[in-house]
Amino acid sequence: MAISRRFLIFTLIVVSPVLLATANAQPDPLDDPVSEDVELGDIRVRTEEFVRLPRIPESASPRQTNDAHARIQNLSALPDNSGRLVINDLRGLLYLTDERGSDPVVYLDLRNQDVDFDDTPFPNEMGVAGVAFHPDFGDRSEPGYGKFYTAYSVPSNSGEPDYLADEDENHHSVIREWTATDASVNVFQ
């Protein structure tokens, strides 16, 4: 027992400072992180203007973000072979355009729905975080016809979450199923 105590005291006195010094040590900076020239490959990237969403004012007051036209999270194709593309804006809007880059139209504006939508506490991180369309969105013969799903933010006092409550209590995230009566039109009905 005496040997074990002595060993423990020795370890705490001698080894602990060494471990702490090692844990707090900073690595030496790299003089040249890429020491060899990078060879060009066959892949080329170019950009071209495709579509521009309209300027939507930020809802937070005072303004907390830059003056971006939109806060785009995603652009994806609707699963109905129509060539339509959906774009979600954190600020609460879903837009439709197409593969040709036609002027976008508002498909759904969550700010005008009775869903307690809120993006004001953190406008760069909250709002419409995502949208997904059911694979059978455009097939009238299937139960998934017209169905799509949104993930968005609501105030923490808008209801009781049924999963992982946010301890900060500044907002809740909601996943909601929507059903369009006519999947072929460009405005949610």
Side-chain angles (χ1 to χ4, degrees):
M1 190 86 152
I3 293 175
S4 297
R5 281 188 189 153
R6 284 186 199 141
F7 180 74
L8 178 61
I9 291 170
F10 171 80
T11 303
L12 291 173
I13 293 172
V14 176
V15 177
S16 295
V18 172
L19 292 175
L20 286 173
T22 305
N24 292 327
Q26 296 293 320
D28 292 332
L30 297 174
D31 292 328
D32 185 3
V34 182
S35 59
E36 298 177 17
D37 290 341
V38 177
E39 293 185 33
L40 294 178
D42 296 332
I43 298 172
R44 300 288 184 262
V45 176
R46 86 183 158 115
T47 62
E48 62 182 63
E49 192 169 314
F50 176 64
V51 67
R52 183 168 199 155
L53 298 181
R55 185 178 301 276
I56 301 296
E58 182 181 320
S59 56
S61 181
R63 192 172 91 182
Q64 300 177 40
T65 62
N66 64 27
D67 201 23
H69 274 242
R71 304 239 172 265
I72 299 171
Q73 283 295 98
N74 191 33
L75 177 139
S76 58
L78 267 66
D80 62 358
N81 297 318
S82 66
R84 294 182 297 168
L85 304 170
V86 63
I87 305 167
N88 74 292
D89 182 339
L90 279 172
R91 293 178 176 149
L93 297 114
L94 300 180
Y95 294 95
L96 288 184
T97 185
D98 58 32
E99 294 167 345
R100 296 180 308 278
S102 297
D103 288 339
V105 296
V106 175
Y107 181 70
L108 175 66
D109 186 342
L110 271 75
R111 301 170 307 168
N112 297 333
Q113 301 292 316
D114 188 21
V115 296
D116 287 333
F117 174 79
D118 185 23
D119 69 335
T120 56
F122 306 104
N124 273 334
E125 301 174 18
M126 292 175 56
V128 181
V131 61
F133 283 75
H134 193 285
D136 296 325
F137 176 77
D139 188 345
R140 283 189 185 276
S141 66
E142 294 296 327
Y145 176 75
K147 295 197 181 303
F148 65 100
Y149 309 88
T150 55
Y152 60 92
S153 305
V154 299
S156 60
N157 63 358
S158 67
E160 186 66 32
D162 57 6
Y163 69 99
L164 299 178
D166 180 4
E167 291 181 15
D168 292 334
E169 296 191 19
N170 56 28
H171 74 284
H172 296 306
S173 296
V174 172
I175 297 174
R176 182 181 178 121
E177 179 183 83
W178 303 81
T179 304
T181 55
D182 186 347
S184 67
V185 298
N186 288 341
V187 177
F188 175 73
Q189 303 174 351

